[in-house]
Amino acid sequence: MDSSRFSPISWKEGILTLLDQRVLPGKKSFLNLETVDDTVTCIREMAVRGAPAIAITGVFGLALGARAQSGNVDKTDVENLIAKVFASRPTAVNLSFALKEAKKRVEQVLSWEDHYKIWKAYAVEMMQKDLSDNLRLGKNGVSLFSKSQKEFHVITHCNTGALATAGHGTALGVIRSLRDAGNKVVVYADETRPFLQGSRLTAFEMMEEGIECHIITDGMSGWLMNHKKIDAVLVGCDRVAANGDTANKIGTYNLAIVAKEHSVPFYVCATRDSFDLSLEDGRKIPIEMRKEEEVTVFDFLKNGKGELYLQPGTTSPAGARALNPSFDVTPHKFISSFITEFGCFLPGEIGSRLS
Ligand code: MRU
């Protein structure tokens, strides 16, 4: 795949360009950002989404914030700038790690100009590292699939591909690598209500790649595992606690339970920046609650001109209340293996593999 055509984030001559994922697949629309406030809005409103892509965008946002200032820094202003980006989305730990590292890199630096240069360079470095990590992760994932089989049927949830990362993807990266190793892969993509990352973004990526993909609604996976041989469930993650409990897009937990019931391996694909060893287990992972309207109406996807890209129409009675937790936590007992750029291992091995 031509990854430049697909990249959700690019930086050229001081302008941050994001592929607007709210309006895909209806329209390939690009947003040019020049301020940290616009960057934070784009992260919050999910014009860019996916844990690695959020972290990279956040650091570019810091660079834009630094560029808007001049002279010597006041440490409180730096802290406020970092806090503003940090507040954009809470669940994925990648952003928080990236902001900590960004802060460390400017500890001895005085001018805003140098902050700008250092943060811009760090964001570019993150993009390169994320792509190479994903390529390694993909290869490691292939090792878990039988060598004597040439066709694999997998279920995935949300979007973990080139759109959510700097390229290749994590769970979708394993799917790409499986195909690149000469296999036929058939993907069943959970539509992933309410934001529809599966039906809008994963199906789009798979179709562009020529990988067979069938969209299923989130409640269909049990039926599917009952009626077809599914070789694996592959998902990404937003934060993994020290014991392996894993936060990922809402609906992942249900899928993991169904996979266990059907003895289908459930693989969580994660780069190092997803592991939050400061949390003993999943209970303290912050879960983002989003607007009720994302659940009750189908017309929340609008571009800057207010044009709609999904079927307009209300899917619930006027005034109906809704819950919209954006992530859930899958207990480690449902996870067959983590797939990372540094190998595949069980939840119980996190301590030894990450120390
Ligand atoms: O709300 P989103 O679309 O940012 O959620 C994305 C996910 O849950 C992904 O599975 C996760 O960030 C991993 S992306 C490599």
Side-chain angles (χ1 to χ4, degrees):
M1 183 181 69
D2 173 1
S3 60
S4 59
R5 189 164 50 93
F6 233 97
S7 176
I9 310 161
S10 58
W11 174 272
K12 207 171 166 199
E13 288 157 20
I15 295 178
L16 174 63
T17 302
L18 301 178
L19 174 57
D20 189 347
Q21 299 191 34
R22 294 167 301 183
V23 298
L24 278 174
K27 194 171 177 179
K28 269 189 202 165
S29 166
F30 292 89
L31 302 162
N32 293 324
L33 310 181
E34 295 190 53
T35 69
V36 62
D37 287 334
D38 286 348
T39 309
V40 168
T41 303
C42 280
I43 295 174
R44 187 171 293 133
E45 293 185 358
M46 292 170 67
V48 62
R49 28 71 45 203
I54 290 170
I56 294 163
T57 306
V59 176
F60 275 126
L62 288 184
L64 292 174
R67 197 186 52 192
Q69 321 249 20
S70 57
N72 278 357
V73 296
D74 167 347
K75 289 286 171 203
T76 315
D77 288 344
V78 173
E79 266 160 33
N80 288 343
L81 178 59
I82 291 175
K84 182 185 278 189
V85 177
F86 178 75
S88 56
R89 290 194 75 194
T91 301
V93 73
N94 309 52
L95 177 64
S96 141
F97 284 153
L99 295 177
K100 273 192 195 122
E101 176 63 22
K103 189 174 175 198
K104 209 164 98 196
R105 289 186 183 210
V106 293
E107 243 148 33
Q108 309 300 327
V109 179
L110 292 180
S111 74
W112 278 115
E113 199 182 27
D114 286 342
H115 277 65
Y116 170 61
K117 285 186 197 148
I118 290 168
W119 284 339
K120 185 179 69 170
Y122 175 40
V124 171
E125 180 189 317
M126 284 173 73
M127 286 185 84
Q128 289 160 350
K129 183 173 182 318
D130 189 53
L131 177 58
S132 63
D133 285 349
N134 290 342
L135 290 166
R136 275 206 299 276
L137 184 158
K139 276 203 183 125
N140 290 337
V142 172
S143 70
L144 293 177
F145 289 80
S146 162
K147 300 278 171 295
S148 57
Q149 206 175 314
K150 278 283 156 212
E151 178 170 331
F152 298 99
H153 290 238
V154 301
I155 299 179
T156 191
H157 191 70
C158 196
N159 172 267
T160 59
L163 290 167
T165 63
H168 199 65
T170 58
L172 285 197
V174 174
I175 289 166
R176 285 193 164 99
S177 296
L178 258 181
R179 187 275 316 268
D180 294 346
N183 300 294
K184 175 174 176 174
V185 189
V186 179
V187 176
Y188 299 93
D190 267 355
E191 80 176 333
T192 318
R193 280 274 283 148
F195 205 71
L196 306 177
Q197 289 95 328
S199 58
R200 295 190 302 109
L201 308 177
T202 295
F204 171 70
E205 277 199 42
M206 294 294 91
M207 287 171 80
E208 293 257 326
E209 282 273 6
I211 295 177
E212 184 174 332
C213 178
H214 303 259
I215 298 164
I216 55 172
T217 65
D218 297 350
M220 291 179 184
S221 51
W223 178 90
L224 189 58
M225 289 184 213
N226 249 333
H227 287 83
K228 257 197 183 309
K229 181 178 173 293
I230 298 297
D231 296 291
V233 175
L234 287 160
V235 298
C237 61
D238 289 82
R239 193 185 297 236
V240 183
N243 71 343
D245 292 352
T246 293
N248 190 48
K249 180 51 53 193
I250 190 75
T252 304
Y253 178 25
N254 305 48
L255 186 57
I257 294 171
V258 177
K260 179 98 172 173
E261 174 65 20
H262 291 83
S263 305
V264 172
F266 186 86
Y267 298 136
V268 173
C269 305
T271 58
R272 174 65 184 85
D273 285 350
S274 298
F275 291 90
D276 183 356
L277 302 187
S278 75
L279 299 182
E280 208 177 304
D281 58 45
R283 283 174 299 181
K284 291 230 170 80
I285 297 178
I287 299 295
E288 176 184 10
M289 298 299 289
R290 295 186 62 84
K291 284 189 196 135
E292 295 180 38
E293 289 74 15
E294 288 183 352
V295 175
T296 53
V297 295
F298 250 29
D299 63 356
F300 64 93
L301 292 167
K302 296 175 182 167
N303 69 6
K305 295 177 206 140
E307 293 163 342
L308 302 176
Y309 285 92
L310 283 183
Q311 281 277 314
T314 304
T315 55
S316 50
R321 299 298 310 273
L323 282 181
N324 191 8
S326 197
F327 299 91
D328 57 27
V329 175
T330 299
H332 61 89
K333 66 178 180 184
F334 294 109
I335 297 170
S336 314
S337 181
F338 286 99
I339 302 175
T340 74
E341 74 277 24
F342 49 96
C344 303
F345 49 88
L346 299 169
E349 295 174 298
I350 290 177
S352 59
R353 297 303 290 257
L354 273 83
S355 55

